């Protein structure tokens, strides 16, 4: 792993990742509402696409309303039928065959579920769990990082956390983390269950097919020295153990990590004293990784 | 220490402390500017008081401008002379005989310094360092908490962090922490220096004499089991070691702690897995303790 030295000619720029993950211009989006709740943010070009479903969507200058009423299952069926058309039209990239629940905020009852592929189109909030795999070795703090498959659609070949996964319906957050620990890195359940929730990062970022309005729940797991993660499914193709300071420097000095993983690493660096108040960006980092909700 | 049980009839309400610390109505304040920078926020009644110094302040409908030009020392002298009058008038409570530097943001060059007593009047940003004293005992995480003197002007008799102090000019942040560790809790320098920076919380709160626009830098210190803090100066009058879960429950269920210490404890609870994503307020807490800067 090449790490450029940190000096005045090559300043740390962790803040750049926060700016990239929050590349969002409100004027390009419309609120997506159902009954009394805002559920998402739809880009105006995507909103126009929904005019072909006037029985289900009212596309107006101040927002898009989902007009259907019914049960969770009934609404989910309507959204699936619409998604089928949107995939045909190419405005939703593809079916992911994995569902996300759609609710106005964390802890609220979901109105319906939709395929993960349609999440950016409707700009609904998505949740993930990211795991920092920590090793204390020879007085140094080390971090396990994963290498993403070159076949991934998003951020192919980039570095990643030890484990990361989206919260699919109807699974729980910790359940998802434990499952992904097994699938992605062959972490035994008994070890995975020692993961500790340590906070969350949030960002809002325009992407090709719409918007990512994401929350990543962060977990730390102290790994035994003799534990070595093993490739499981085809999400990650390798693992490396690095000094945690080097990981932060690598994040600061380039784009080796998947875009949103940098936010999880900034949070890690702040919590573990790897980023210190002497950094003039310190406070911009502490607030920047926590985009407020609206 | 009485801890009310956490159940449905008596829900956790850590969020209440964040709301209290952010009791700020922008329409009651005017920006306080010097040259090209905003340095503070002056409450409108306080701004009116400054009309008696037309040679130094322009009080206008969209803000208050400090008109003086000169060196750091020259500007500080003018502000001191004005403060003298404001203390006589009773709009600044009293001289604190401790100076805070006034800069547009963290890491920027200060324009001048002013007495800590005048900080709320001018609504300038103030910085503090707060220390969580941690003990790992019998498999449990414990926290040292301090009891504030009943003679303190702010939050008399309330519980506090193990050590806390404001960042006075011209001292450094870590230097301030180490000094306060010795003065407030008789923590030996060698131990105090093991404190690890773990982030910062920020809030903006109207107070009797104006505004607190505060940043508290948070530190964790792992204390040896045989270490017991001792009363030093007259700031804290006693120390108690409690299970960290109990500390969070105590914060949630009442006002035993000084108002802003609750934010430091929420940050601690989030980082150490004492507050978990199952709490419906979890994300409101992760973002709420980090008021963005403007």
């Amino acid at each position: 792993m090449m790490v450029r030295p940190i000096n005045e000619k090559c300043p740390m720029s962790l803040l750049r990742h926060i700016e990239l993950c929050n590349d969002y211009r409100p004027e390009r989006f419309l609120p997506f509402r159902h009954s009394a709740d805002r559920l998402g943010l739809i880009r105006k070009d995507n909103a126009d696409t929904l005019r072909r479903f006037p029985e289900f969507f009212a596309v107006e200058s101040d927002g898009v309303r989902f007009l259907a009423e019914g049960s969770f299952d009934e609404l989910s069926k309507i959204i699936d039928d619409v998604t089928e058309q949107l995939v045909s039209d190419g405005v939703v990239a593809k079916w992911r065959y994995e569902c996300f629940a759609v609710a106005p905020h964390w802890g609220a009852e979901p109105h319906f579920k939709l395929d993960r592929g349609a999440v950016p189109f409707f700009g609904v909030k998505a949740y993930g769990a990211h795991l920092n795999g920590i090793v204390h070795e020879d007085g140094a703090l080390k971090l396990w990082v994963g290498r993403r498959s070159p076949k991934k659609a998003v951020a192919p070949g980039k570095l990643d956390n030890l484990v990361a996964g989206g919260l699919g319906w109807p699974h729980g957050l910790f359940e998802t983390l434990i499952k992904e620990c097994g699938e992605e890195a062959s972490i035994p359940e008994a070890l995975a269950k020692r993961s500790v929730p340590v906070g969350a990062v949030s960002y809002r970022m325009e992407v090709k097919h719409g918007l990512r309005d994401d929350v990543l729940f962060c977990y730390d797991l102290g790994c035994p020295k003799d534990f070595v993660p093993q490739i499981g499914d085809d999400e990650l193709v390798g693992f490396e153990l690095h000094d945690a300071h080097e990981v932060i420097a690598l994040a600061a000095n380039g784009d080796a990590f998947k875009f949103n993983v940098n936010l999880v690493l900034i949070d890690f660096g702040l919590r573990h004293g790897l980023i210190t108040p002497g950094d003039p960006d310190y406070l911009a980092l502490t607030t920047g990784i926590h985009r407020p909700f609206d």
Side-chain angles (χ1 to χ4, degrees), chain A residues 29 54 63-64 84 113 120 133 173 217 255 275:
Chain A
F29 291 82
V64 178
E84 183 68 44
K113 61 184 168 71
L173 186 65
F217 291 91
D255 297 305
I275 306 169

Side-chain angles (χ1 to χ4, degrees), chain A residues 168-226:
Chain A
W169 182 87
H171 306 292
L173 186 65
F174 200 62
E175 172 198 352
T176 297
L177 180 70
I178 304 304
K179 181 176 67 73
E180 297 283 349
C181 278
E183 289 176 5
E184 289 191 351
S186 313
I187 303 174
E189 187 173 321
L191 175 57
K193 283 186 168 170
R194 287 189 223 156
S195 302
V196 176
V198 291
V201 300
S202 42
Y203 64 94
R204 182 177 286 173
M205 178 189 196
E206 184 172 341
V207 292
K208 185 178 173 193
H209 291 283
L211 188 74
R212 291 185 73 126
D213 196 16
D214 286 0
V215 172
L216 310 180
F217 291 91
C218 305
Y219 290 81
D220 280 1
L221 173 61
C223 299
K225 273 198 233 184
D226 59 0

